[in-house]
Amino acid sequence: MIVRTLDDIVGTERDVRAENWNSRRLLLQSDGMGFSLHDTTIRAGTETRMWYAHHLEAVYCIEGEGEVEDLADGTVHPIGAGTVYALNGNEKHILRARTRMRMVCVFNPPLTGQETHDSDGVYPLITEEPSPRSHHAGAGSQ
Ligand code: 9YT
């Protein structure tokens, strides 16, 4: 069993800081769960364009207010505490944070922790040697 706290992660290499956000990686590919789990805060007043071309991502907002624009069809969805959005079609999107937002994010396939956004907001697909307990099917990538 894996048990860790946010305090265990803050200030380590699992605490990844970008211009608009800070992502604390609670579970990564090396943990062998088949998904990664992140506690991400988004800075107030920011606009972040993203495109997870190789990953499915679910984002559950637990604090703050903003909106996500689906660039596939132009729809703008308000996001607040208790709202989840799931990028089940690898949609290009823009996240606008009106206030500081806190999100619980799940990636399938899992992030290794080494990924950074390229100029399109894409994370590359990185596959490490699976740990002995890993049993993910590798589904969802193109
Ligand atoms: C909400 C979102 O996708 N923010 C970007 C960071 C990403 N969730 C991550 O790497 O944790």
Side-chain angles (χ1 to χ4, degrees), residues 4 9 11-16 23-28 30-31:
R4 56 176 70 110
I9 286 162
T12 71
E13 62 179 11
R14 283 175 177 250
D15 183 358
V16 177
S23 174
R24 288 77 61 91
R25 274 75 188 263
L26 293 157
L27 294 169
L28 286 170
S30 58
D31 294 309

Side-chain angles (χ1 to χ4, degrees), residues 1-129:
M1 185 183 296
I2 300 165
V3 179
R4 56 176 70 110
T5 68
L6 197 52
D7 281 348
D8 293 336
I9 286 162
V10 169
T12 71
E13 62 179 11
R14 283 175 177 250
D15 183 358
V16 177
R17 181 171 284 267
E19 192 180 344
N20 293 353
W21 49 262
N22 195 16
S23 174
R24 288 77 61 91
R25 274 75 188 263
L26 293 157
L27 294 169
L28 286 170
Q29 188 177 111
S30 58
D31 294 309
M33 295 293 290
F35 57 86
S36 58
L37 178 69
H38 315 183
D39 181 326
T40 300
T41 55
I42 316 284
R43 280 181 255 299
T46 59
E47 175 168 310
T48 309
R49 178 179 288 256
M50 290 172 274
W51 179 30
Y52 297 118
H54 309 293
H55 300 85
L56 302 177
E57 186 195 24
V59 180
Y60 182 55
C61 178
I62 56 171
E63 291 174 18
E65 283 177 19
E67 64 182 30
V68 64
E69 180 174 349
D70 181 345
L71 295 176
D73 61 13
T75 317
V76 176
H77 304 273
I79 304 294
T83 304
V84 64
Y85 66 87
L87 300 162
N88 59 344
N90 303 102
E91 295 90 343
K92 294 182 180 180
H93 60 289
I94 297 173
L95 180 63
R96 298 186 186 94
R98 199 174 67 71
T99 66
R100 174 186 181 273
M101 301 176 84
R102 186 173 177 203
M103 316 292 224
V104 177
C105 307
V106 176
F107 279 81
N108 169 24
L111 297 196
T112 65
Q114 296 155 30
E115 297 86 348
T116 51
H117 283 150
D118 69 12
S119 55
D120 289 325
V122 177
Y123 281 168
L125 183 63
I126 302 175
T127 307
E128 292 174 338
E129 284 296 304

